[in-house]
Amino acid sequence: MPRSHKSKHQAYEKRCRARGETQGEGAKATAVAEEESTSSSSPQCEGNTQSQPAADLCSTSQGPQSTPVTTTAVISCPGSDEASNSQDEDTAEASEALLSTESSDIDNLAKIVMFLERFLLYKYKMKQRTLKEDMLRIVGTYYQDRFPEILRKASEHIEAVFALEVREVDSTRQLYDLISKLKLPNNGRVRPGRGLPKTGLLMNILGMIFIKGNHATEEEIWRLLGLMRVYAGRKHFIYGEPKKLITKDLVRLKYLEYRQVTGSDPPRYEFLWGPKAHLETSKMKVLQFLAKINDTVPTAFPYCYKEALQDEQERTRTIGCSKGCNYC
């Protein structure tokens, strides 16, 4: 394996471990919210649940970005030591009050983001679209001027965990829906009925296969999924029985190819992208998905980006040929 692929794979494992913790907490919170939710289109959200950010799937050489710290400059005037000490005490108290207010506001905003995320996922599970006015009720009057920011953060986390896009589907009625990034049956649920999507798991697997050099052994897939707390033979509260989903359902739907490794004895198996995965997404789109949830850009992963760019160029030529271009 090339050194660049090996380093990416090691970073990928580390990020998947963090992602497993995030996904577990986020999805469990969603499950709890669904149990507590009523048939009302705008349930009341109360409690002290903390929001957790989506974990990165891939890693760059850059470390975590630090949070900007707001500082207040104080100009002191000549005077007695007592006056100076008093001023220092007043300044310290004012700074503490400012930081306390900012911290409280950040915590409250994080809670509102999680409440909105739960609400959107609940509506998805119930196969219902969401009105903007209902989301504004969740946000509350105090934070309504920050609604675009809150919706963006909730949407980013939903996309990172479930690979669903929050999209306005009716601008006149201001109606929103959650759309699967791949055309899996039942808008990402795979099986009939209500439930949460399987698209996020599939996008992860496609990403793993891409990073591993366009094919990954079954052992490698399960080792990485294990870091996300998804295990073969153990029923998952979102994905059901993962082995059946991955080796049967997604193979039958032609999103994955599952085959014996050539010359392996005893037999070993590997995963590749299936024809429908190649049709409905691309290496660049998968890379963009990985980059977006890492709050970076595809070019931050130069080896994968180069390969994805070549794939895009080949796709463009293929489309040109299908339209009867002269250079074909």
Side-chain angles (χ1 to χ4, degrees), residues 194-207:
R194 298 172 179 173
L196 292 171
K198 314 302 185 286
T199 318
L201 183 69
L202 177 55
M203 289 292 284
N204 274 296
I205 293 173
L206 295 176

Side-chain angles (χ1 to χ4, degrees), residues 170-271:
D170 188 335
S171 58
T172 303
R173 299 174 58 195
Q174 295 185 308
L175 197 61
Y176 290 76
D177 200 3
L178 273 61
I179 308 297
S180 172
K181 282 186 167 291
L182 295 171
K183 297 177 182 178
L184 289 168
N186 200 11
N187 194 19
R189 298 174 183 88
V190 177
R191 302 183 183 99
R194 298 172 179 173
L196 292 171
K198 314 302 185 286
T199 318
L201 183 69
L202 177 55
M203 289 292 284
N204 274 296
I205 293 173
L206 295 176
M208 293 176 196
I209 293 170
F210 180 27
I211 288 174
K212 291 293 293 179
N214 299 312
H215 56 90
T217 65
E218 186 172 14
E219 294 83 0
E220 290 166 340
I221 290 291
W222 286 116
R223 182 157 60 92
L224 287 169
L225 292 181
L227 298 176
M228 297 167 57
R229 301 182 182 180
V230 177
Y231 306 100
R234 184 182 300 181
K235 188 174 182 179
H236 192 274
F237 60 99
I238 296 176
Y239 308 125
E241 206 295 289
K243 186 165 186 177
K244 179 180 182 298
L245 174 65
I246 294 170
T247 63
K248 301 292 185 184
D249 296 338
L250 295 178
V251 172
R252 173 177 53 82
L253 293 168
K254 301 186 183 302
Y255 285 96
L256 292 175
E257 184 179 344
Y258 181 61
R259 70 183 186 186
Q260 184 177 339
V261 176
T262 304
S264 61
D265 185 19
R268 295 170 58 242
Y269 294 85
E270 64 182 359
F271 288 92

